[in-house]
Amino acid sequence: RKFIYELQYNFVILHIETISVRMKDITPDNIKTFVRLIEEARRPIIVTHAKPDGDAIGSSAAMFHFLGLCGKQDRLLVLNDNCPRFLGFIRESIPQEALIIREESQQKAFDAIEQADLIICLDFNAFHRTDRLERPLEESAGRKILVDHHLNPARELFDLSFSETEVSSASELLYHILRNTTVINNDAARLGEKCAQSLMTGMTTDTNNFANSVFPSTLHMASDLLAAGTDRDFILNRLYNQYSENRLRLMGHMMKDLLKITGDGVAYIVLDSRTQKEYEINDGDTEGFVNLPLAIDKVRMSLLLKEDGDRVRVSIRSKKGTSANLCAREHFNGGGHENAAGGRLNIPEDISSIEEAADYIEKHTHIFINEENEA
Ligand code: 5GP
Ligand code: MN
């Protein structure tokens, strides 16, 4: 065991120079530390953001499988919320006993975080993005690694941070980290089918199937994974061709009847609980809808609001030149990326009921767009 450790420590990094786009945090020292922290961990766990999307689940599952390659059989994946149905094929690659879902077994999730000596955090930039896991994470004594692609990472909370915004996804960033370890040795085939499939899935959903946030390093990754035998047709079928009929009917209703466009070129849709119930909508069923209004010439920003108990979840997408991130930070208690961000409106702090959401959006996006023009 000692021998392997020294070998990895000394020869950990072989391929930095072959990366087509430099990533500032992927350095020989950081890769060495990454491998060392994993080697030294006895109870590693993986966490990602609440209401996990394809990149959250894909990067987490890939990390889980990589820990297996490193001989860490006692690893756990801790989710705040269960993953949406369309990602079931990734979740099924994780043994049931290794997956802990806070909304189903809260104490187990909190205990796992407390007992972990290494916590690998994927696809989020600050603990509050994990919702109810925030406190246990703050209080945990375990070492922490961040792998993320959002703006404004809370680096001070982590022993090691890989944070790059010029990548498609956390899954892509993780791929470039992993391929630089001696375990993978720049040979994607060594990731194994499940790990590679998870990475490809996360990258595909965060780029909307190569429609946005595609960098040279993204295609480099896709090329490596395809060459290693990853079945992209299978992934695309699972992601995009297995929705319910209701999802498409709801999309029609939203675009025809619910879509509003303001004089500032802001498109928005408010989806209240009643309508979600009427169409029997599950988490993940509205995935991608917020992007659709951007296809309209005059629309520069698009918002989708979903009522969710005592809060309203907000998704924002923008065209180049308008910052979804700033709008989310300044007006919707959130943040994210330059052109894809999210946040929330709290009831009753921000609006007293869902009926007020439209007025709130009209007023606040008007302020935001006109401030931006002045700047
Ligand atoms: P989505 O609209 O797909 O839920 O989120 C778009 C992007 O914004 C994602 O990268 C997500 O991580 C980020 N985001 C979503 N909700 C929040 C939030 O409440 N706070 C912050 N800081 N980022 C968010
Ligand atoms: Mn992501």
Side-chain angles (χ1 to χ4, degrees):
R1 188 118 211 92
K2 181 111 201 307
F3 176 70
I4 292 171
Y5 167 71
E6 280 175 4
L7 199 70
Q8 291 193 349
Y9 194 81
N10 289 326
F11 297 102
V12 74
I13 182 71
L14 301 169
H15 304 290
I16 291 284
E17 297 314 318
T18 69
I19 294 176
S20 56
V21 173
R22 297 260 179 285
M23 296 187 190
K24 64 182 180 341
D25 286 344
I26 300 187
T27 63
D29 275 354
N30 281 350
I31 298 286
K32 273 184 201 169
T33 307
F34 179 75
V35 172
R36 181 171 56 78
L37 291 176
I38 291 173
E39 283 288 327
E40 291 173 1
R42 297 179 51 207
R43 315 186 76 152
I45 67 165
I46 297 159
V47 295
T48 188
H49 61 77
K51 303 278 178 190
D53 59 4
D55 190 29
I57 295 295
S59 59
S60 299
M63 190 67 223
F64 182 91
H65 296 306
F66 179 75
L67 289 177
L69 291 181
C70 297
K72 303 289 159 179
Q73 297 305 325
D74 285 337
R75 73 277 199 222
L76 297 172
L77 170 54
V78 181
L79 298 177
N80 185 65
D81 313 279
N82 207 340
C83 79
R85 211 178 34 176
F86 76 102
L87 296 169
F89 73 109
I90 300 291
R91 191 194 50 205
E92 281 156 21
S93 76
I94 309 265
Q96 220 166 15
E97 64 278 9
L99 179 64
I100 301 178
I101 299 168
R102 199 277 315 157
E103 62 169 355
E104 291 166 8
S105 34
Q106 175 153 302
Q107 199 52 47
K108 244 172 117 179
F110 290 178
D111 290 347
I113 293 174
E114 194 192 322
Q115 288 157 14
D117 57 0
L118 178 65
I119 304 179
I120 305 172
C121 299
L122 293 148
D123 198 33
F124 67 89
N125 55 0
F127 291 150
H128 69 86
R129 296 280 295 117
T130 66
D131 205 339
R132 303 277 276 280
L133 304 182
E134 178 180 7
R135 273 287 293 281
L137 285 173
E138 273 173 358
E139 289 167 2
S140 115
R143 293 159 154 184
K144 298 180 191 70
I145 300 176
L146 176 70
V147 177
D148 180 48
H149 68 128
H150 293 90
L151 297 161
N152 316 109
R155 284 181 187 267
E156 68 281 4
L157 302 175
F158 298 91
D159 297 273
L160 175 65
S161 301
F162 294 95
S163 168
E164 308 276 349
T165 53
E166 301 285 291
V167 292
S168 62
S169 52
S171 298
E172 182 197 323
L173 177 55
L174 181 62
Y175 172 70
H176 291 295
I177 295 167
L178 297 186
R179 76 185 177 88
N180 278 294
T181 64
T182 42
V183 183
I184 303 306
N185 199 18
N186 215 29
D187 177 1
R190 291 198 188 183
L191 293 167
E193 193 183 338
K194 291 173 180 173
C195 181
Q197 181 185 65
S198 305
L199 292 169
M200 183 73 105
T201 299
M203 180 273 287
T204 300
T205 55
D206 256 26
T207 60
N208 286 305
N209 199 9
F210 295 97
N212 55 258
S213 337
V214 173
F215 294 84
S217 55
T218 316
L219 297 176
H220 180 151
M221 165 198 186
S223 167
D224 286 355
L225 293 180
L226 284 177
T230 305
D231 188 347
R232 211 174 102 80
D233 292 337
F234 171 81
I235 294 172
L236 293 185
N237 239 318
R238 297 303 296 252
L239 288 178
Y240 301 119
N241 297 340
Q242 306 210 333
Y243 284 114
S244 63
E245 175 180 343
N246 270 351
R247 173 184 141 99
L248 215 69
R249 303 262 177 224
L250 173 65
M251 182 170 92
H253 172 53
M254 285 166 64
M255 298 308 146
K256 182 164 176 291
D257 306 317
L258 303 182
L259 175 66
K260 304 277 185 290
I261 303 176
T262 73
D264 298 309
V266 174
Y268 68 91
I269 295 168
V270 178
L271 195 56
D272 59 21
S273 301
R274 196 181 49 80
T275 310
Q276 293 177 49
K277 225 177 262 150
E278 186 186 334
Y279 284 85
E280 295 166 2
I281 279 306
N282 297 310
D283 262 348
D285 277 350
T286 54
E287 188 81 26
F289 290 175
V290 65
N291 293 295
L292 299 175
L294 289 181
I296 300 166
D297 189 27
K298 65 181 173 185
V299 170
R300 55 160 93 189
M301 185 161 74
S302 168
L303 293 88
L304 172 62
L305 277 74
K306 274 174 86 175
E307 187 177 6
D308 180 14
D310 61 353
R311 65 174 101 160
V312 181
R313 284 198 276 140
V314 183
S315 279
I316 309 179
R317 300 292 184 272
S318 61
K319 288 181 182 160
K320 217 174 162 194
T322 301
S323 174
N325 174 53
L326 269 185
C327 186
R329 283 166 69 95
E330 290 174 4
H331 300 280
F332 294 95
N333 308 304
H337 313 283
E338 187 61 13
N339 298 119
R344 58 197 277 177
L345 291 180
N346 297 309
I347 302 174
E349 292 84 355
D350 298 308
I351 52 177
S352 58
S353 73
I354 189 71
E355 283 72 36
E356 284 179 15
D359 282 347
Y360 184 98
I361 298 171
E362 298 250 355
K363 180 174 157 211
H364 286 263
T365 60
H366 184 70
I367 295 170
F368 174 73
I369 294 287
N370 291 289
E371 263 174 5
E372 201 174 50
N373 287 344
E374 280 162 29

